[in-house]
Amino acid sequence: MASEWGFSTEQVHAGVEPDEGHGARITPVYLSNGFLFDDFDQARDRFAGDDAGYIYTRYGNPTITGVERKLARLERGVEAIAVASGQAALTITFLALLNQGDHVVSARSIYEGTRGLLREDFPRFGITADFVADPGDRAALEAAIRPNTRAIFIETIPNPLNDVPDIALVAEVAHAHGIPVVIDNTLATPYHARPIEHGADIVVHSASKFLSGHGSAIGGVIVSSESEWAADAAGTGFAQRARALAGRFGPTLSPLNAFLLQQGIETLSLRMARQSAGALAVAQWLEGRPEVASVDYAGLASSPHRALAERYLENGAGAVFAFTLRGGEAAARGLIDRVVLWSRMTHLGDVRSLILHPRSTTHTHLTPAELEAFGVGPGMIRLSVGVEDVADLLADLDQALAGRHDA
């Protein structure tokens, strides 16, 4: 494909190969568990790896392969592995990198599901993790690394605080110790950031969010770079090991969900541009409201993370952020119960605008000390801005803040 194509062209055409024999312009949905072999020898060759054809959908499927090729190109990686969810993508990634007795250094500001995986589940298998409050603090990052550290993990746009990390610095420190960097790029997507270009070795996504975009399909993606760190981390090659693990553990992406994911990616730039612009407008409006104590959005001029956002995030700072009301949980409850247009649900990256109270939902299992340390206060509200008219979103927030609507 043409290397000079722009992002919007790539999101439509990259990785797409014509359907053999039928000429379908869109990759069809191959709802088939298995695939026929022409003869004894072809079956043997496929299992031996000498024939690149398909065997069983758990190990590969034409619909899934199409979306894998597209995302590898968009993220500037060499191979992508699509799995059943974002959590499956993280789990397979870590299992492909880590063995019993290994250690992970992670940013503290990450998705709570990932924190639970590292802190509560992996220790059962002899894998431990430490969390660094500011991965951009070189001394703190260096101090957290142990002789058995085998991965450093960060998020491009952390949820919900928007405390954008210094990706190049993290990569520099990690690589000096021979450690690969894994980055969750879910909230940025390759439209806003391509972490591999800044030194990341492996990129993961919850494809259920912005990549799909419509809240209709669960999926996850792992993208491997060609860096020596990604290749050496698992001996025979990270991508090969991750794909084998995905086949053995079985978190297979449904071909139908792969089709929906591909459809979503084709309009990614259009949605992300509108949603990011809408998020900035909503954040600026909230910053001027007397009821609001603070707004955590890296795109604001007042954000302490604005410089890093400008360095690493193209085309805006994304569509997910948090703000804190002065009235604490009572004020948060009142606003959330009174909104009409904003959907109350635990999801992100939908074309619909979403609202949630982190302290009583996604972060409910943290201790009071952890909540305070992480900056998740009783009055904090998380928003995921959709594609609706900004004027309507602001009008809804305005009436909810003013208490003019009976829930």
Side-chain angles (χ1 to χ4, degrees), residues 272-298:
M272 293 303 293
R274 182 175 179 89
Q275 289 175 263
S276 183
L280 177 59
V282 172
Q284 289 172 331
W285 182 84
L286 286 167
E287 199 173 36
R289 294 289 302 208
E291 303 95 335
V292 175
S294 62
V295 181
D296 297 303
Y297 183 60

Side-chain angles (χ1 to χ4, degrees), residues 193-207:
R194 290 172 296 280
I196 288 172
E197 295 180 337
H198 300 288
D201 303 290
I202 299 155
V203 172
V204 296
H205 284 273
S206 171

Side-chain angles (χ1 to χ4, degrees), residues 72 76-81 196 201-203 222-227 230-231 238-239:
R76 303 299 185 258
V78 294
E79 186 168 356
I81 301 140
I196 288 172
D201 303 290
I202 299 155
V203 172
I222 307 162
V223 182
S224 176
S225 72
E226 59 184 355
S227 75
F238 167 80

Side-chain angles (χ1 to χ4, degrees), residues 64-65 67-68 71 80-84 220-222 243 246 251-253 258 261:
I64 298 171
T65 298
V67 80
E68 288 176 338
L71 282 167
I81 301 140
V83 291
V221 179
I222 307 162
R243 189 173 292 281
T252 307
L253 179 66
L261 172 56

Side-chain angles (χ1 to χ4, degrees), residues 169-253:
L169 183 150
V170 172
E172 180 184 336
V173 172
H175 294 165
H177 291 269
I179 301 168
V181 176
V182 180
I183 297 189
D184 187 330
N185 200 34
T186 296
L187 298 192
T189 79
Y191 176 72
H192 286 306
R194 290 172 296 280
I196 288 172
E197 295 180 337
H198 300 288
D201 303 290
I202 299 155
V203 172
V204 296
H205 284 273
S206 171
S208 324
K209 311 301 191 297
F210 290 102
L211 290 178
S212 292
H214 297 81
S216 59
I218 299 289
V221 179
I222 307 162
V223 182
S224 176
S225 72
E226 59 184 355
S227 75
E228 59 182 299
W229 313 107
D232 290 349
T236 58
F238 167 80
Q240 292 83 355
R241 186 166 181 177
R243 189 173 292 281
L245 282 171
R248 292 173 190 146
F249 279 83
T252 307
L253 179 66

Side-chain angles (χ1 to χ4, degrees), residues 81-105:
I81 301 140
V83 291
S85 68
Q87 281 297 89
L90 281 163
T91 302
I92 294 297
T93 295
F94 286 131
L95 291 177
L97 292 173
L98 307 170
N99 294 307
Q100 186 177 20
D102 286 345
H103 174 254
V104 178
V105 172

Side-chain angles (χ1 to χ4, degrees), residues 17 19 22 24 26-31 61-64 255 259 262:
E17 295 182 1
D19 175 43
H22 302 289
I26 300 171
T27 304
V29 184
Y30 287 87
L31 289 176
N61 177 288
T63 311
I64 298 171
F259 176 81
Q262 179 173 277

